């Protein structure tokens, strides 16, 4: 159902991190931006839909003279109604750029006390982003996790404008579901079961979580009830992504497999259903990132540890 | 990145180093009564292994190693192994030391990648320690040192969470990123492809604690399972049989980290890299100062804890060649690709004068230079060995 397309070559191989591929879809400009972390640098590149690379840029975390740049932990686009920001994180700093990475608009230093002890506190930092310009302000710090945060997912709360639901996941597998307002409120907390949850997604009130033991679980976001448990992979899941228009879920894992699932909310019972849609094996590649490249899920891209290319697939 | 990675990296690489040295010394082994003055005997082999192992597991050294700290560069770590390999009467030329380090790193990279669970890297470490104990069965003092280290490992790593082990795994993989040296044993056994990438099988037992993929379970509001369906996963997995033991003694179940070398399988490495990718050269190769200040401090502390026996008199030691002939070794030294050069540290090139002096003091008479050919030595090998043993 999907066939392999031309790969996009990277300057450096992808690092062994979870969620190590970020995609910014710009359908009106017929463009896509890709972001991959290599190590002390992240590569941002833009390409036309056929995969022809148009421009690329490498970003690093700024440090003093004579010190080698630290490892980057994540590169990610945050899409707001009025602007898009590119966020680069390392253990000491968060840096935010305009969406093409050309201009840094803000940076924030993280508590060095966290880094030196080797544990990260599990705090969630909430920033107020203005429609334009660098006047970004740290507005809140949320406590809800005791171990490092692995992933964050958001979606507009159903039927309410300006209110979003957010789910955060951590290294111990705990999930917290939040509602935004003047401040964020914790709606529900879903306990872990001994493995990390590296990746999480939110769609129509359904939390999709990928775990270190290869399971994908689907919960109701309001109540936190477990509705579906899939033995999806034989190794830890490294990335999940959603195609919101059709409810397709993409899961990629260190077992070299990518799977696509079709999610569905039963209109009568309200329960969540899922069926397997497609599977793909990327031989001998420990995957580390995967994203849909369009909102209907007709194409996707993956990255792998030690691999200096972005592999692309599109449906036939 | 995890600050608990260094002990695991060091012990496993050290274990692989001992496997290679043991294999090479056995391959060059001559029965004691038939040996010429410049040839290796069984006694020599045991002596070399004993010396290296007792230096590795020295209590002060282990104390430094186990402190929570970041991983240092490949260059800095390579310096530690250079010193360790020369902790006995054995000497290695640069080319042999390079080959040794290549074999060590590719072997452990393979083991980390193939670990079913991140926590299994601890089982791999225990496999190495079990084998190390086999090398020094006749030396109760050193055996005790190794057991102490095993206990320390269990104490520190026994209760780490799955999340912390995943972070350790990622830290190790970052260290090994972009290394694709082809190893002939791996190629022959089909665990490595000709492009240097390791084979990741999609069959066999799943990790302990993971279910065989292929099942979808649906639950109702009360949490009761109401439906179970299957899907085609694509792999050929079976359930795990049993969990390996993390005790001081026990069946580790996992084979990764056990000795894969034997006398009849000489190990070669192929020096070609698959791409001249500029970005795959790490930052450190481009920096003008070979070692950052923190790395110098680290080396000073770590090697300060290593108690290397001083060589008696002008004896330069006995050379071990990791290649089949001296000509091969020379050729390897000349033809090693630029991007694979380890750029062994030239202490004098550093700018930090105080650190420089302290490090030079610790390094003592240790020199990583070419040794004269064995045939030029005039002293009697047997006499010196005896002299050394008397001093024990």
């Amino acid at each position: 159902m999907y066939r392999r397309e031309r790969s996009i070559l990277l300057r450096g191989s992808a690092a062994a991190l979870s969620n190590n591929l970020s995609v910014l879809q710009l359908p009106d400009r017929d463009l896509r931006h890709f972001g991959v972390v290599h190590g002390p640098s992240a590569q941002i590149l833009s390409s036309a839909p056929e995969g022809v690379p148009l421009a690329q840029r490498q970003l690093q975390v700024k440090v003093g003279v004579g010190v080698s740049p630290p490892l980057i932990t994540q590169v990610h686009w945050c899409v707001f109604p009025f602007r898009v920001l590119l966020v680069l994180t390392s253990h000491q700093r968060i840096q935010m750029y305009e969406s093409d990475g050309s201009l840094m608009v803000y940076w924030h230093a993280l508590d060095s006390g966290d880094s030196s002890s080797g544990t990260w506190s599990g705090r969630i930092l909430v920033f107020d982003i203005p429609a334009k310009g660098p006047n970004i302000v740290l507005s809140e710090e949320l406590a809800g996790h005791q171990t490092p945060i692995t992933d964050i997912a958001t979606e507009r709360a159903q039927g309410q404008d300006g209110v979003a639901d957010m789910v955060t996941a951590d290294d111990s597998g705990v999930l917290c579901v939040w509602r935004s307002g003047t401040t964020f409120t914790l709606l529900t907390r879903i306990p872990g079961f001994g493995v990390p949850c590296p990746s999480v997604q939110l769609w129509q009130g359904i939390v999709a979580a990928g775990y270190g033991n290869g399971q994908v679980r689907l919960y109701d976001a309001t109540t936190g009830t477990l509705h579906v448990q899939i033995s999806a992979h034989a190794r830890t899941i490294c990335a999940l992504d959603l195609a919101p228009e059709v409810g397709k879920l993409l899961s990629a894992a260190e077992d070299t497999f990518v799977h696509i699932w079709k999610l569905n909310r039963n209109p009568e019972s309200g329960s969540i259903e899922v069926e397997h849609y497609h599977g793909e094996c990327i031989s001998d590649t420990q995957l580390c990132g995967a994203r849909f490249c369009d909102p209907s899920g007709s194409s996707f891209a993956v990255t792998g540890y030690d691999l200096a290319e972005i592999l692309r697939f599109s449906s036939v | 990145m995890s600050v608990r990675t260094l002990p695991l990296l060091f012990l496993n690489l050290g274990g692989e180093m001992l496997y290679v040295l043991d294999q090479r010394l056995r391959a060059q082994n001559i029965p004691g009564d038939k040996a010429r003055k410049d040839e290796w005997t069984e006694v020599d082999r045991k002596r070399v292994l004993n010396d290296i192992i007792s230096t590795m597991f020295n209590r002060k050294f282990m104390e430094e190693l186990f402190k929570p700290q970041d991983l240092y560069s490949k260059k800095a770590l390579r310096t530690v192994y250079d010193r360790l390999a020369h902790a006995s009467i054995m000497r290695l030329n640069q080319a042999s030391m390079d080959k040794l380090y290549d074999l060590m790193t590719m072997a452990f990279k393979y083991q980390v990648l193939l670990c079913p669970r991140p926590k299994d890297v601890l089982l791999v470490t225990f496999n190495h320690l079990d084998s190390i104990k086999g090398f020094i069965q006749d030396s109760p003092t050193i055996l005790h040192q190794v057991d102490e280290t095993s206990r320390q490992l269990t104490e520190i790593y026994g209760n780490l969470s799955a999340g912390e082990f995943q972070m350790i795994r990622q830290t190790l993989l970052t260290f090994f990123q972009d290394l694709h040296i082809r190893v002939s044993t791996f190629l022959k056994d089909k665990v490595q492809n000709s492009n240097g990438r390791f084979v990741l099988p999609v069959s066999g037992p799943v990790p302990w604690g993971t279910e065989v993929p292929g099942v979808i379970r649906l639950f109702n509001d009360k949490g009761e399972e109401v439906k179970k369906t299957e899907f085609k996963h694509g792999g050929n997995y079976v359930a795990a049989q049993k969990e390996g033991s993390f005790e001081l003694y026990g069946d580790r179940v996992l084979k990764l980290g056990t000795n894969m070398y034997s006398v009849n399988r000489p190990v070669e490495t192929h020096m070609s890299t698959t791409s001249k990718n500029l970005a795959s050269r790490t930052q450190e190769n481009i920096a003008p100062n070979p070692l950052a200040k923190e790395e110098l401090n680290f080396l000073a502390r770590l090697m300060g804890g290593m108690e290397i026996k001083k060589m008696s008199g002008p004896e330069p030691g006995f050379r071990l060649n990791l290649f089949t002939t001296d000509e091969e070794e020379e050729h390897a030294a000349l033809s090693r690709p630029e991007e694979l050069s380890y750029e062994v540290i030239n202490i004098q090139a550093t700018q930090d004068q105080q650190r420089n002096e302290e490090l030079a003091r610790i390094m003592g008479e240790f020199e990583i230079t070419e040794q004269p050919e064995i045939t030029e030595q005039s002293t009697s090998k047997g006499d010196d060995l005896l002299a050394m043993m008397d001093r024990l």
Side-chain angles (χ1 to χ4, degrees), chain B residues 58 60-61 64 83 296-308 358-359 361-363:
Chain B
N58 171 284
K60 248 183 13 170
F61 180 75
E64 278 302 324
R83 184 153 166 84
L296 282 175
N297 285 340
F298 156 74
L299 281 180
R301 276 188 354 254
L302 208 58
M303 298 204 288
M306 268 182 175
E307 286 160 11
I308 305 286
E358 181 165 338
L359 199 53
R361 178 186 62 75
I362 288 165
M363 301 283 266

Side-chain angles (χ1 to χ4, degrees), chain A residues 53-99:
Chain A
L54 298 171
Q56 81 90 37
R57 174 174 268 129
Q58 299 210 282
L59 299 177
Q60 288 186 332
V61 171
K62 301 242 180 301
V63 285
V65 177
V67 185
S68 43
L71 294 174
I72 295 175
T73 48
Q74 197 170 42
V75 63
H76 192 72
W77 278 280
C78 292
V79 178
F80 303 97
F82 40 82
R83 83 193 286 191
V84 176
L85 285 181
L86 175 66
V87 179
L88 201 71
T89 60
S90 72
H91 291 140
Q92 297 98 357
R93 260 166 91 116
I94 299 171
Q95 293 178 172
M96 301 187 194
Y97 300 77
E98 295 297 354
S99 67

Side-chain angles (χ1 to χ4, degrees), chain B residues 328-391:
Chain B
E328 233 188 88
E329 190 187 43
E330 246 177 70
H331 176 74
L334 294 168
S335 61
R336 191 174 179 86
E338 170 68 43
E339 61 266 28
L340 291 178
S341 160
Y342 287 112
E343 292 169 14
V344 182
I345 290 144
N346 177 0
I347 298 296
Q348 276 67 45
T350 61
Q351 283 153 11
D352 189 329
Q353 193 55 31
Q354 195 193 12
R355 265 298 147 227
N356 182 5
E357 279 160 10
E358 181 165 338
L359 199 53
R361 178 186 62 75
I362 288 165
M363 301 283 266
E365 284 92 45
F366 175 54
E367 276 175 15
I368 315 166
T369 56
E370 291 291 304
Q371 295 299 327
E373 291 291 348
I374 282 185
T375 47
E376 289 167 14
Q377 291 165 17
S378 54
T379 48
S380 154
K381 179 169 146 305
D383 290 350
D384 280 292
L385 250 186
L386 279 172
M388 259 185 272
M389 286 165 102
D390 284 344
R391 271 191 282 276

Side-chain angles (χ1 to χ4, degrees), chain A residues 104-146:
Chain A
M104 193 190 316
V105 294
Y106 174 80
W107 65 267
H108 178 87
L110 296 168
D111 254 339
S112 61
D114 284 325
S115 315
S116 66
S117 68
T119 61
W120 293 281
S121 55
R123 291 172 304 150
I124 301 155
L125 304 177
V126 182
F127 295 89
D128 272 340
I129 313 288
K132 262 207 282 263
N135 212 11
I136 294 167
V137 173
L138 175 65
S139 72
E140 256 188 285
E141 277 192 27
L142 305 175
H145 292 275
Q146 269 84 51

Side-chain angles (χ1 to χ4, degrees), chain B residues 218-243:
Chain B
L218 298 168
F219 301 88
N220 64 15
D221 291 352
K222 302 184 197 60
E224 298 157 346
E225 187 178 312
V226 294
K227 193 167 163 198
K228 186 164 128 176
T229 58
E230 289 185 356
F231 72 93
K232 193 144 187 348
H233 172 260
N236 191 15
Y237 294 100
V238 295
Q241 293 292 6
K242 68 191 234 206
E243 191 182 13

